[in-house]
Amino acid sequence: MASVTDRTAEAVRRTDGLILSYQGGIVESLYAANSQITVEAHGHLGASMSQEGAQELALSGLTYNQILGRYYQGASLARLQIGAKN
């Protein structure tokens, strides 16, 4: 909790309930600290995001949804509505 900043708290608030979906299903998004770990742990799956890689893309000016698009092509973001009526 000591590393939480106003910026990270705002990011959590703004993305609360967002899910990554692909063809109507929820994507199991695997995440690791760096690209070496992602390759070793789940590189065989073809899509895995690292904190290091995402941060590099963010520093180059990409938004979070653009970054997700780089890692998970064809997927989209949706807001999960618990208890929503069909």
Side-chain angles (χ1 to χ4, degrees), residues 14-27 64-65 68 75-82:
R14 293 183 63 181
T15 58
D16 182 41
L18 282 181
I19 60 167
L20 188 62
S21 66
Y22 182 73
Q23 296 181 346
I26 296 174
V27 173
Y64 71 91
N65 51 347
L68 288 171
S76 62
L77 291 172
R79 187 145 317 262
L80 182 63
Q81 296 180 357
I82 299 173

Side-chain angles (χ1 to χ4, degrees), residues 20 27-32 38-39 41-50 68-73 75:
L20 188 62
V27 173
E28 180 183 1
S29 177
L30 303 172
Y31 190 76
T38 61
V39 169
H42 28 76
H44 65 285
L45 299 174
S48 180
M49 186 164 69
S50 74
L68 288 171
R70 292 275 183 104
Y71 286 98
Y72 304 101
Q73 294 179 5

